[in-house]
Amino acid sequence: SDSSRCKILVPSVSCRAAFHPVQYRGAMACSDETLTKIWHHSAYTLRLCMNDFMLDGMKRDRLPWAGDLVVSLLSNAFIFVDAKIIAKTLTVLGRAGISESHINGFVDYSLLWIICHHLYQLYFGDIRFLRREWLRIK
């Protein structure tokens, strides 16, 4: 019944959005407006997943995962070209070293982590980082 309903007045509502300080350096546009919108939404979603590390989707557990990092790394290399966040994510994921434990608890994610190191070198060429991380990789 209507008598069980009550109105609650909320004086104000606010929302604080946090963004990783990065600039868009790549772009995409084509004759298909839908594809252009998909690209823009995807780039924005990637940016939302950039905090201290590259994180899993914003509606999920918000942790770094080697499986997600493969796609995020490749997208980031063309959209934001932010090497630092990739290096930080690789470091935190492999902090114990793969000889001690599997990345994210999965043996195949350890392989993906190695692939991400390869991709990081391919797109960012940071040999000093590779030398620093080598003991955890081998």
Side-chain angles (χ1 to χ4, degrees):
S1 78
D2 287 336
S3 63
S4 66
R5 293 183 188 176
C6 65
K7 290 184 181 180
I8 298 174
L9 298 177
V10 178
S12 69
V13 175
S14 65
C15 176
R16 190 180 75 124
F19 287 97
H20 181 68
V22 67
Q23 293 182 358
Y24 290 84
R25 295 178 62 191
M28 195 287 285
C30 70
S31 59
D32 186 330
E33 188 177 315
T34 301
L35 288 178
T36 301
K37 284 181 180 181
I38 289 170
W39 186 93
H40 283 282
H41 288 298
S42 299
Y44 179 73
T45 300
L46 179 65
R47 187 171 182 207
L48 290 176
C49 294
M50 298 169 82
N51 286 283
D52 291 332
F53 311 103
M54 294 298 281
L55 304 177
D56 186 20
M58 294 311 296
K59 292 184 178 182
R60 295 188 51 187
D61 53 16
R62 296 192 241 174
L63 296 170
W65 287 88
D68 296 318
L69 185 59
V70 174
V71 175
S72 298
L73 186 156
L74 291 168
S75 301
N76 171 58
F78 290 97
I79 299 170
F80 301 111
V81 196
D82 186 346
K84 186 175 179 179
I85 196 167
I86 301 299
K88 286 173 67 177
T89 305
L90 286 168
T91 300
V92 75
L93 281 170
R95 64 191 169 276
I98 56 175
S99 63
E100 297 297 319
S101 67
H102 296 302
I103 304 300
N104 297 123
F106 301 103
V107 67
D108 46 340
Y109 276 33
S110 294
L111 176 59
L112 288 172
W113 181 72
I114 292 170
I115 291 169
C116 285
H117 272 283
H118 168 74
L119 292 170
Y120 179 76
Q121 291 304 315
L122 183 66
Y123 289 100
F124 299 106
D126 186 353
I127 197 71
R128 284 182 18 194
F129 175 75
L130 180 61
R131 286 186 180 126
R132 190 181 82 219
E133 295 296 307
W134 184 246
L135 289 177
R136 288 188 267 228
I137 296 170
K138 68 176 198 160

PDB file of all heavy atoms in Angstrom, residues 64-83:
ATOM      1  N   PRO A  64      45.676  -6.696 -10.048  1.00  0.00           N
ATOM      2  CA  PRO A  64      46.422  -6.989 -11.273  1.00  0.00           C
ATOM      3  C   PRO A  64      46.410  -8.485 -11.574  1.00  0.00           C
ATOM      4  O   PRO A  64      46.632  -9.301 -10.683  1.00  0.00           O
ATOM      5  CB  PRO A  64      47.847  -6.495 -10.952  1.00  0.00           C
ATOM      6  CG  PRO A  64      47.927  -6.399  -9.479  1.00  0.00           C
ATOM      7  CD  PRO A  64      46.532  -6.264  -8.948  1.00  0.00           C
ATOM      8  N   TRP A  65      46.107  -8.836 -12.806  1.00  0.00           N
ATOM      9  CA  TRP A  65      46.080 -10.227 -13.253  1.00  0.00           C
ATOM     10  C   TRP A  65      46.915 -10.329 -14.526  1.00  0.00           C
ATOM     11  O   TRP A  65      46.750  -9.527 -15.455  1.00  0.00           O
ATOM     12  CB  TRP A  65      44.653 -10.684 -13.543  1.00  0.00           C
ATOM     13  CG  TRP A  65      43.840 -10.900 -12.318  1.00  0.00           C
ATOM     14  CD1 TRP A  65      43.099  -9.958 -11.652  1.00  0.00           C
ATOM     15  CD2 TRP A  65      43.689 -12.122 -11.592  1.00  0.00           C
ATOM     16  NE1 TRP A  65      42.501 -10.524 -10.559  1.00  0.00           N
ATOM     17  CE2 TRP A  65      42.845 -11.865 -10.490  1.00  0.00           C
ATOM     18  CE3 TRP A  65      44.187 -13.406 -11.758  1.00  0.00           C
ATOM     19  CZ2 TRP A  65      42.494 -12.843  -9.576  1.00  0.00           C
ATOM     20  CZ3 TRP A  65      43.821 -14.380 -10.853  1.00  0.00           C
ATOM     21  CH2 TRP A  65      42.983 -14.096  -9.765  1.00  0.00           C
ATOM     22  N   ALA A  66      47.799 -11.308 -14.583  1.00  0.00           N
ATOM     23  CA  ALA A  66      48.664 -11.480 -15.752  1.00  0.00           C
ATOM     24  C   ALA A  66      47.864 -11.726 -17.021  1.00  0.00           C
ATOM     25  O   ALA A  66      48.236 -11.261 -18.098  1.00  0.00           O
ATOM     26  CB  ALA A  66      49.657 -12.611 -15.509  1.00  0.00           C
ATOM     27  N   GLY A  67      46.753 -12.445 -16.920  1.00  0.00           N
ATOM     28  CA  GLY A  67      45.927 -12.715 -18.091  1.00  0.00           C
ATOM     29  C   GLY A  67      45.351 -11.448 -18.698  1.00  0.00           C
ATOM     30  O   GLY A  67      45.345 -11.272 -19.915  1.00  0.00           O
ATOM     31  N   ASP A  68      44.884 -10.543 -17.845  1.00  0.00           N
ATOM     32  CA  ASP A  68      44.352  -9.259 -18.327  1.00  0.00           C
ATOM     33  C   ASP A  68      45.464  -8.334 -18.793  1.00  0.00           C
ATOM     34  O   ASP A  68      45.263  -7.499 -19.672  1.00  0.00           O
ATOM     35  CB  ASP A  68      43.560  -8.567 -17.215  1.00  0.00           C
ATOM     36  CG  ASP A  68      42.328  -9.349 -16.810  1.00  0.00           C
ATOM     37  OD1 ASP A  68      41.632  -9.859 -17.701  1.00  0.00           O
ATOM     38  OD2 ASP A  68      42.076  -9.466 -15.596  1.00  0.00           O
ATOM     39  N   LEU A  69      46.639  -8.481 -18.187  1.00  0.00           N
ATOM     40  CA  LEU A  69      47.741  -7.577 -18.519  1.00  0.00           C
ATOM     41  C   LEU A  69      48.181  -7.708 -19.969  1.00  0.00           C
ATOM     42  O   LEU A  69      48.603  -6.724 -20.575  1.00  0.00           O
ATOM     43  CB  LEU A  69      48.923  -7.819 -17.568  1.00  0.00           C
ATOM     44  CG  LEU A  69      50.102  -6.864 -17.734  1.00  0.00           C
ATOM     45  CD1 LEU A  69      49.674  -5.411 -17.528  1.00  0.00           C
ATOM     46  CD2 LEU A  69      51.225  -7.236 -16.778  1.00  0.00           C
ATOM     47  N   VAL A  70      48.077  -8.886 -20.541  1.00  0.00           N
ATOM     48  CA  VAL A  70      48.472  -9.062 -21.945  1.00  0.00           C
ATOM     49  C   VAL A  70      47.704  -8.077 -22.829  1.00  0.00           C
ATOM     50  O   VAL A  70      48.295  -7.318 -23.599  1.00  0.00           O
ATOM     51  CB  VAL A  70      48.235 -10.516 -22.429  1.00  0.00           C
ATOM     52  CG1 VAL A  70      48.517 -10.643 -23.917  1.00  0.00           C
ATOM     53  CG2 VAL A  70      49.083 -11.496 -21.643  1.00  0.00           C
ATOM     54  N   VAL A  71      46.400  -8.057 -22.695  1.00  0.00           N
ATOM     55  CA  VAL A  71      45.567  -7.179 -23.523  1.00  0.00           C
ATOM     56  C   VAL A  71      45.758  -5.714 -23.120  1.00  0.00           C
ATOM     57  O   VAL A  71      45.881  -4.835 -23.979  1.00  0.00           O
ATOM     58  CB  VAL A  71      44.079  -7.583 -23.421  1.00  0.00           C
ATOM     59  CG1 VAL A  71      43.203  -6.609 -24.186  1.00  0.00           C
ATOM     60  CG2 VAL A  71      43.884  -8.999 -23.945  1.00  0.00           C
ATOM     61  N   SER A  72      45.811  -5.448 -21.830  1.00  0.00           N
ATOM     62  CA  SER A  72      45.997  -4.071 -21.351  1.00  0.00           C
ATOM     63  C   SER A  72      47.334  -3.497 -21.809  1.00  0.00           C
ATOM     64  O   SER A  72      47.419  -2.333 -22.203  1.00  0.00           O
ATOM     65  CB  SER A  72      45.918  -4.019 -19.826  1.00  0.00           C
ATOM     66  OG  SER A  72      44.663  -4.424 -19.377  1.00  0.00           O
ATOM     67  N   LEU A  73      48.379  -4.306 -21.753  1.00  0.00           N
ATOM     68  CA  LEU A  73      49.706  -3.854 -22.181  1.00  0.00           C
ATOM     69  C   LEU A  73      49.695  -3.470 -23.648  1.00  0.00           C
ATOM     70  O   LEU A  73      50.176  -2.399 -24.030  1.00  0.00           O
ATOM     71  CB  LEU A  73      50.725  -4.960 -21.915  1.00  0.00           C
ATOM     72  CG  LEU A  73      52.196  -4.653 -22.167  1.00  0.00           C
ATOM     73  CD1 LEU A  73      53.058  -5.582 -21.318  1.00  0.00           C
ATOM     74  CD2 LEU A  73      52.600  -4.774 -23.611  1.00  0.00           C
ATOM     75  N   LEU A  74      49.122  -4.340 -24.481  1.00  0.00           N
ATOM     76  CA  LEU A  74      49.070  -4.058 -25.922  1.00  0.00           C
ATOM     77  C   LEU A  74      48.243  -2.804 -26.214  1.00  0.00           C
ATOM     78  O   LEU A  74      48.647  -1.952 -27.009  1.00  0.00           O
ATOM     79  CB  LEU A  74      48.501  -5.259 -26.678  1.00  0.00           C
ATOM     80  CG  LEU A  74      49.401  -6.495 -26.712  1.00  0.00           C
ATOM     81  CD1 LEU A  74      48.616  -7.697 -27.221  1.00  0.00           C
ATOM     82  CD2 LEU A  74      50.630  -6.239 -27.561  1.00  0.00           C
ATOM     83  N   SER A  75      47.101  -2.683 -25.565  1.00  0.00           N
ATOM     84  CA  SER A  75      46.249  -1.505 -25.773  1.00  0.00           C
ATOM     85  C   SER A  75      46.948  -0.249 -25.288  1.00  0.00           C
ATOM     86  O   SER A  75      46.953   0.788 -25.969  1.00  0.00           O
ATOM     87  CB  SER A  75      44.919  -1.685 -25.039  1.00  0.00           C
ATOM     88  OG  SER A  75      44.252  -2.830 -25.501  1.00  0.00           O
ATOM     89  N   ASN A  76      47.550  -0.308 -24.114  1.00  0.00           N
ATOM     90  CA  ASN A  76      48.263   0.828 -23.550  1.00  0.00           C
ATOM     91  C   ASN A  76      49.419   1.269 -24.455  1.00  0.00           C
ATOM     92  O   ASN A  76      49.672   2.461 -24.608  1.00  0.00           O
ATOM     93  CB  ASN A  76      48.791   0.475 -22.153  1.00  0.00           C
ATOM     94  CG  ASN A  76      49.729   1.520 -21.605  1.00  0.00           C
ATOM     95  OD1 ASN A  76      49.381   2.677 -21.466  1.00  0.00           O
ATOM     96  ND2 ASN A  76      50.942   1.111 -21.302  1.00  0.00           N
ATOM     97  N   ALA A  77      50.098   0.322 -25.081  1.00  0.00           N
ATOM     98  CA  ALA A  77      51.228   0.659 -25.945  1.00  0.00           C
ATOM     99  C   ALA A  77      50.815   1.559 -27.108  1.00  0.00           C
ATOM    100  O   ALA A  77      51.609   2.364 -27.580  1.00  0.00           O
ATOM    101  CB  ALA A  77      51.879  -0.620 -26.479  1.00  0.00           C
ATOM    102  N   PHE A  78      49.569   1.460 -27.532  1.00  0.00           N
ATOM    103  CA  PHE A  78      49.096   2.270 -28.653  1.00  0.00           C
ATOM    104  C   PHE A  78      48.245   3.465 -28.228  1.00  0.00           C
ATOM    105  O   PHE A  78      48.165   4.446 -28.948  1.00  0.00           O
ATOM    106  CB  PHE A  78      48.298   1.402 -29.637  1.00  0.00           C
ATOM    107  CG  PHE A  78      49.177   0.448 -30.383  1.00  0.00           C
ATOM    108  CD1 PHE A  78      49.310  -0.858 -29.951  1.00  0.00           C
ATOM    109  CD2 PHE A  78      49.896   0.863 -31.483  1.00  0.00           C
ATOM    110  CE1 PHE A  78      50.131  -1.746 -30.621  1.00  0.00           C
ATOM    111  CE2 PHE A  78      50.728  -0.011 -32.172  1.00  0.00           C
ATOM    112  CZ  PHE A  78      50.842  -1.329 -31.732  1.00  0.00           C
ATOM    113  N   ILE A  79      47.599   3.386 -27.068  1.00  0.00           N
ATOM    114  CA  ILE A  79      46.699   4.464 -26.652  1.00  0.00           C
ATOM    115  C   ILE A  79      47.402   5.482 -25.754  1.00  0.00           C
ATOM    116  O   ILE A  79      47.330   6.680 -25.992  1.00  0.00           O
ATOM    117  CB  ILE A  79      45.455   3.898 -25.934  1.00  0.00           C
ATOM    118  CG1 ILE A  79      44.667   2.993 -26.878  1.00  0.00           C
ATOM    119  CG2 ILE A  79      44.566   5.037 -25.423  1.00  0.00           C
ATOM    120  CD1 ILE A  79      43.569   2.192 -26.199  1.00  0.00           C
ATOM    121  N   PHE A  80      48.098   5.004 -24.724  1.00  0.00           N
ATOM    122  CA  PHE A  80      48.693   5.908 -23.733  1.00  0.00           C
ATOM    123  C   PHE A  80      50.215   5.896 -23.722  1.00  0.00           C
ATOM    124  O   PHE A  80      50.827   6.846 -23.251  1.00  0.00           O
ATOM    125  CB  PHE A  80      48.182   5.561 -22.327  1.00  0.00           C
ATOM    126  CG  PHE A  80      46.694   5.654 -22.200  1.00  0.00           C
ATOM    127  CD1 PHE A  80      45.926   4.525 -22.022  1.00  0.00           C
ATOM    128  CD2 PHE A  80      46.052   6.884 -22.278  1.00  0.00           C
ATOM    129  CE1 PHE A  80      44.549   4.600 -21.907  1.00  0.00           C
ATOM    130  CE2 PHE A  80      44.676   6.977 -22.167  1.00  0.00           C
ATOM    131  CZ  PHE A  80      43.919   5.831 -21.985  1.00  0.00           C
ATOM    132  N   VAL A  81      50.837   4.822 -24.179  1.00  0.00           N
ATOM    133  CA  VAL A  81      52.292   4.664 -24.209  1.00  0.00           C
ATOM    134  C   VAL A  81      52.880   4.926 -22.811  1.00  0.00           C
ATOM    135  O   VAL A  81      53.856   5.637 -22.654  1.00  0.00           O
ATOM    136  CB  VAL A  81      52.937   5.573 -25.279  1.00  0.00           C
ATOM    137  CG1 VAL A  81      54.364   5.131 -25.569  1.00  0.00           C
ATOM    138  CG2 VAL A  81      52.130   5.599 -26.563  1.00  0.00           C
ATOM    139  N   ASP A  82      52.261   4.340 -21.794  1.00  0.00           N
ATOM    140  CA  ASP A  82      52.696   4.517 -20.411  1.00  0.00           C
ATOM    141  C   ASP A  82      53.482   3.286 -19.963  1.00  0.00           C
ATOM    142  O   ASP A  82      52.908   2.307 -19.498  1.00  0.00           O
ATOM    143  CB  ASP A  82      51.475   4.742 -19.513  1.00  0.00           C
ATOM    144  CG  ASP A  82      51.842   5.077 -18.083  1.00  0.00           C
ATOM    145  OD1 ASP A  82      53.004   4.886 -17.682  1.00  0.00           O
ATOM    146  OD2 ASP A  82      50.949   5.525 -17.340  1.00  0.00           O
ATOM    147  N   ALA A  83      54.786   3.344 -20.110  1.00  0.00           N
ATOM    148  CA  ALA A  83      55.642   2.216 -19.751  1.00  0.00           C
ATOM    149  C   ALA A  83      55.716   2.012 -18.245  1.00  0.00           C
ATOM    150  O   ALA A  83      55.795   0.878 -17.765  1.00  0.00           O
ATOM    151  CB  ALA A  83      57.050   2.426 -20.314  1.00  0.00           C
TER     152      ALA A  83
END
